Amino acid sequence: MGCWLCKLPNSQRSWGEIEKEESEMAGKTRSEASSSTRTANTNSINHNNGRGESKVVDCGRNRSSCGYCNSPGRTSISHGLWAHSLTVNDYQDLLDRGWRRSGSFLYKPEMERTCCPSYTIRLKAGNFSPSKEQLRVTRRLQRFLDGELDSIKPRKLAEEANASKRTRSCADPGVSSSAVKECLSSNNAEKNKGEKFLQSLTDKINNVVHTCSESGEFPNHFQLPKASVKKVSQGKRKLFVEGSETLLYSSNIAFQIAAAIKRAEPGMQDVHQSGVSNDRVDEKEFSAKSIAEKLAISLNQLAETSGLSIKACNGHINFYSASNQDYLDGSAEFVAISEGSCAGHDSEVCSSENSFKHSPVKRRRLEIHLKRSSFDPEEFALYRRYQIKVHNDTPDHVTESSYKRFLVDTPLIFVPPTNDGTVPPCGFGSFHQQYVIDGQLVAVGVIDILPRCLSSKYLFWDPEFSFLSLGKYSALQEINCVKENQIHCPSLQFYYLGYYIHSCNKMRYKATYRPSELLCPLRYQWVSFDVARPFLDRKAYVVLSDCAILQDGESSTPNASEQVIELQHDDITVEDSNVLMHQNEEAADPEYQTSDDESGGESSDPESAQRENGDISNLLVGLKGTCMKYKDLQRAIRPTERDYLETQLHRYLRVVGKELGGRMIYSLG
């Protein structure tokens, strides 16, 4: 793990022996260290609002094979920390310095050295503008929930099968033409029943309109328009459904009446003769919404509507079925298939056709549950199936222990809700967001909810539902989650999508969640992706904070078009994105090879050099259950041992920064 004790020349001796040899020095600094410990702990806890303290072990530089460019050598270079505990405030600040986590392991790419520079990418949820493709994903899943998506192919297959059967029937001398005619006649009869029912609803609305006109509720000096009732398609029902009722039919007659009254108003001479006030017609009284409400009340009082409930909704008159059945798509009362109307082969033709045309549509229910990170056997079973089928992992490779280490274990200290506007109702910490359709777990998103963002970590889903693009859909839901929680916690504004790797085409889909920003790897400032993109097209590693200045000074900057990015996004499957994410998380596993070799060019940038040689005296160092500032510990360490430790501390300070270095405890054991 890079613990400095293991590297000291006399590390074979216990700390007790070292302290005994230097008892005088230790005694002299003990009281100072005690005071420093109390101060350090107080400062750390105060900054985190009493949310605990962060304790990390420096794992040093790590080299591994790259899951993005698949280079043969260990060309992926990052710095690693192992977190025993981590406050949400500290992890938020680590994210804003380019860190990520895999379980309890934290890693940060060394951007100038690694083969595939990885930029932290985020977007402000309130400014999110979905693309056409992202909207299509939402509509596709809604169609699936409405029962439309998976009924398209069976209907086509049925039509082809029926056409084939009709051909065979005509060629079969054993089938009478009269039987076929009887079957077709039955179909026409069922269609006529549906049309008659719609006409009956139309007549009832017209009768009520006439009654309202005669009673003076509506002006009667001119002809009012006639009503029309239409069946509501499955795709539009979600806009109107209330409770457990199902919207079946709707009429927009109220809009037509309101328009007719508005047109006639200027020419009205004796409005009082119609029973309406002498004053100008009240626009609110004769708005489409108020007219629809009047008609709905009258219809419920005066008309027999065959068991349908009638409600006004934003100017529409809607007819609902409390039984959750479509009166024209499966109700036995209106379009039941007559038994015995077909015989022999003809019965096969008729029943097959009607079973797809008139069978009740199966609606599905999607539930999204947010739970704190913990092991769930059902989730693990889904993860195992996903890894084996999507990523082609061998069954013996997908174990409970690896799953827990990867997606369940978390160093984040949970912060419960406070109801004071500083913490959302779900709290801060690590969570699993479950997607359940009709009681079946189909996807799980692993996320961290932090003071300023929701950080997306991983998603796994049921391979049987790959056609729903659950990876893209879950991202849209997580963006909505940020918006919803921002009401309760105003500081929670951003959605972090992990790392963006411009040199890897299959990772560019993340930039389609617009408007996105990339984190500058040098100054840790956020830069618009649109500003950074032309420079990333030319070079993998870029100091993004300089891009705006460079862009102003260059007249001929290459500019990738929006269409190119959108096409790239359309070509990417959820499998591609998850494979890459999975490879990246595996590369961050603490068991991979580490290296403390500091050879190789360090940054020549003056700011980087200054950070490298920064003041380490105020770093918090943990030892034997206590922590103190390094300046109070260094006198108890021999000069030869101190040199090595200070080299490690300077490197640690460079990757975490002064503020975090003064809050997080650098554990020595």
Side-chain angles (χ1 to χ4, degrees):
M1 291 280 184
C3 175
W4 70 278
L5 285 173
C6 299
K7 303 293 180 73
L8 297 180
N10 58 351
S11 61
Q12 67 272 17
R13 294 181 297 167
S14 66
W15 265 100
E17 293 173 335
I18 296 174
E19 289 176 344
K20 185 176 181 180
E21 290 181 2
E22 303 180 351
S23 58
E24 292 183 2
M25 184 184 301
K28 184 177 180 180
T29 59
R30 188 168 291 116
S31 60
E32 298 176 2
S34 177
S35 175
S36 174
T37 298
R38 289 193 298 270
T39 303
N41 286 334
T42 301
N43 291 339
S44 177
I45 293 174
N46 284 344
H47 178 273
N48 289 298
N49 301 319
R51 297 171 181 174
E53 60 184 15
S54 301
K55 183 179 180 181
V56 299
V57 175
D58 189 2
C59 301
R61 176 173 294 160
N62 302 273
R63 300 177 184 271
S64 68
S65 58
C66 181
Y68 302 105
C69 63
N70 296 317
S71 61
R74 293 189 296 140
T75 57
S76 178
I77 305 173
S78 63
H79 196 104
L81 298 174
W82 184 266
H84 292 290
S85 62
L86 196 61
T87 68
V88 292
N89 297 73
D90 289 343
Y91 185 50
Q92 175 71 71
D93 289 346
L94 284 169
L95 284 180
D96 291 337
R97 289 185 63 89
W99 291 83
R100 296 284 293 171
R101 78 173 184 91
S102 173
S104 295
F105 183 72
L106 310 175
Y107 57 101
K108 169 185 168 68
E110 294 195 2
M111 300 287 278
E112 290 182 274
R113 298 179 176 182
T114 191
C115 55
C116 296
S118 306
Y119 299 85
T120 301
I121 184 171
R122 75 175 187 182
L123 68 86
K124 195 170 186 178
N127 296 338
F128 173 59
S129 178
S131 66
K132 292 181 180 180
E133 164 63 18
Q134 290 156 358
L135 292 174
R136 281 197 294 268
V137 168
T138 302
R139 289 196 296 267
R140 187 186 307 127
L141 189 133
Q142 187 59 54
R143 288 172 57 210
F144 176 73
L145 296 177
D146 290 340
E148 293 182 347
L149 185 61
D150 56 351
S151 62
I152 295 176
K153 290 183 178 179
R155 184 179 292 116
K156 289 182 178 179
L157 292 175
E159 291 173 355
E160 293 175 1
N162 291 337
S164 176
K165 290 175 181 177
R166 291 191 187 97
T167 302
R168 291 198 305 270
S169 297
C170 294
D172 190 344
V175 179
S176 65
S177 59
S178 60
V180 175
K181 290 180 180 179
E182 182 180 351
C183 180
L184 296 176
S185 176
S186 175
N187 291 338
N188 291 332
E190 305 301 340
K191 182 178 180 180
N192 291 335
K193 285 183 181 179
E195 292 175 350
K196 288 180 180 179
F197 180 73
L198 285 177
Q199 186 59 48
S200 69
L201 293 180
T202 299
D203 293 341
K204 288 170 184 176
I205 293 179
N206 286 330
N207 291 337
V208 170
V209 171
H210 178 73
T211 301
C212 290
S213 178
E214 290 294 323
S215 65
E217 291 186 63
F218 296 159
N220 58 11
H221 73 287
F222 62 92
Q223 183 69 35
L224 291 174
K226 296 296 182 181
S228 175
V229 177
K230 295 183 179 181
K231 176 184 170 184
V232 179
S233 65
Q234 290 283 342
K236 294 182 179 180
R237 290 182 183 181
K238 61 179 180 296
L239 302 176
F240 303 100
V241 171
E242 299 180 4
S244 60
E245 297 179 319
T246 300
L247 175 61
L248 301 180
Y249 319 109
S250 183
S251 174
N252 65 353
I253 181 61
F255 290 94
Q256 300 177 46
I257 294 175
I261 294 175
K262 187 174 182 180
R263 286 193 300 269
E265 178 188 347
M268 295 168 64
Q269 300 294 330
D270 300 314
V271 179
H272 64 280
Q273 295 180 2
S274 67
V276 184
S277 170
N278 290 335
D279 299 328
R280 288 174 61 85
V281 176
D282 187 352
E283 292 185 4
K284 291 185 178 179
E285 181 182 359
F286 290 104
S287 66
K289 185 175 181 180
S290 62
I291 292 173
E293 291 173 350
K294 288 180 181 179
L295 293 178
I297 293 173
S298 299
L299 282 168
N300 282 310
Q301 292 175 345
L302 304 177
E304 171 59 40
T305 55
S306 304
L308 296 175
S309 65
I310 305 173
K311 297 179 183 179
C313 181
N314 297 325
H316 294 271
I317 300 174
N318 294 335
F319 296 82
Y320 297 86
S321 169
S323 62
N324 202 32
Q325 288 185 342
D326 192 329
Y327 276 60
L328 294 186
D329 279 348
S331 171
E333 180 179 353
F334 292 98
V335 291
I337 300 174
S338 302
E339 294 185 5
S341 62
C342 303
H345 292 280
D346 298 312
S347 175
E348 217 174 72
V349 174
C350 184
S351 63
S352 175
E353 180 175 318
N354 281 279
S355 65
F356 286 99
K357 184 176 180 180
H358 302 298
S359 61
V361 175
K362 180 183 178 182
R363 299 178 61 85
R364 299 175 178 86
R365 179 181 178 84
L366 170 64
E367 299 172 273
I368 302 177
H369 305 295
L370 186 68
K371 59 186 287 287
R372 288 178 59 185
S373 182
S374 62
F375 180 76
D376 184 326
E378 186 180 11
E379 288 184 2
F380 172 66
L382 177 61
Y383 170 79
R384 181 178 174 84
R385 188 162 62 254
Y386 168 78
Q387 294 297 138
I388 293 173
K389 291 190 176 182
V390 176
H391 294 298
N392 299 316
D393 285 356
T394 57
D396 57 343
H397 179 72
V398 188
T399 63
E400 280 192 18
S401 60
S402 64
Y403 168 70
K404 290 178 181 178
R405 187 170 63 249
F406 177 35
L407 295 177
V408 178
D409 294 346
T410 176
L412 296 187
I413 302 171
F414 177 72
V415 179
T418 57
N419 300 319
D420 62 357
T422 61
V423 182
C426 60
F428 290 137
S430 299
F431 299 88
H432 285 193
Q433 194 159 22
Q434 298 179 330
Y435 295 81
V436 181
I437 297 180
D438 287 348
Q440 178 183 352
L441 182 66
V442 299
V444 177
V446 182
I447 61 176
D448 293 324
I449 298 180
L450 306 171
R452 297 192 295 274
C453 77
L454 183 155
S455 175
S456 180
K457 185 179 183 297
Y458 198 66
L459 178 86
F460 53 94
W461 36 265
D462 191 330
E464 298 298 324
F465 290 83
S466 61
F467 63 95
L468 291 178
S469 301
L470 292 172
K472 298 172 185 176
Y473 182 79
S474 67
L476 299 176
Q477 290 303 310
E478 288 166 0
I479 293 172
N480 288 334
C481 182
V482 175
K483 294 180 181 179
E484 293 170 359
N485 281 289
Q486 189 179 355
I487 299 173
H488 308 282
C489 179
S491 66
L492 180 57
Q493 300 183 26
F494 295 95
Y495 177 57
Y496 284 49
L497 295 88
Y499 286 135
Y500 171 80
I501 302 176
H502 195 70
S503 58
C504 179
N505 288 333
K506 291 184 178 180
M507 291 295 284
R508 294 193 181 188
Y509 76 95
K510 293 185 179 183
T512 62
Y513 294 88
R514 300 173 56 83
S516 56
E517 300 174 304
L518 300 179
L519 183 67
C520 175
L522 178 64
R523 299 186 181 93
Y524 305 113
Q525 299 171 357
W526 292 98
V527 178
S528 167
F529 173 77
D530 291 333
V531 172
R533 179 179 57 196
F535 300 93
L536 292 173
D537 285 339
R538 294 183 296 175
K539 189 177 179 182
Y541 173 74
V542 177
V543 179
L544 298 178
S545 55
D546 291 338
C547 287
I549 300 175
L550 292 173
Q551 190 178 50
D552 292 337
E554 295 180 3
S555 58
S556 58
T557 300
N559 186 22
S561 66
E562 295 296 330
Q563 291 78 8
V564 170
I565 286 188
E566 188 64 35
L567 288 173
Q568 290 171 338
H569 183 37
D570 289 338
D571 291 338
I572 295 167
T573 64
V574 180
E575 291 88 340
D576 293 329
S577 62
N578 278 321
V579 165
L580 291 169
M581 186 183 296
H582 177 59
Q583 290 172 332
N584 187 52
E585 298 288 1
E586 283 185 334
D589 193 292
E591 295 180 356
Y592 74 49
Q593 307 230 4
T594 64
S595 171
D596 289 314
D597 177 19
E598 293 298 319
S599 61
E602 291 290 344
S603 173
S604 59
D605 183 80
E607 295 182 32
S608 179
Q610 184 179 1
R611 284 193 296 272
E612 181 73 13
N613 299 315
D615 183 11
I616 62 173
S617 61
N618 289 320
L619 291 181
L620 280 186
V621 179
L623 179 65
K624 289 189 163 185
T626 63
C627 71
M628 62 193 73
K629 294 182 179 179
Y630 177 67
K631 63 183 178 182
D632 298 315
L633 174 66
Q634 60 184 346
R635 285 177 292 179
I637 305 174
R638 288 184 173 183
T640 54
E641 300 161 349
R642 188 186 308 158
D643 290 342
Y644 177 81
L645 176 58
E646 290 185 355
T647 299
Q648 305 288 59
L649 291 177
H650 277 292
R651 185 181 61 183
Y652 170 74
L653 177 63
R654 175 171 58 86
V655 294
V656 302
K658 181 179 179 180
E659 290 188 10
L660 282 167
R663 297 200 310 258
M664 299 193 304
I665 299 173
Y666 183 95
S667 178
L668 296 176

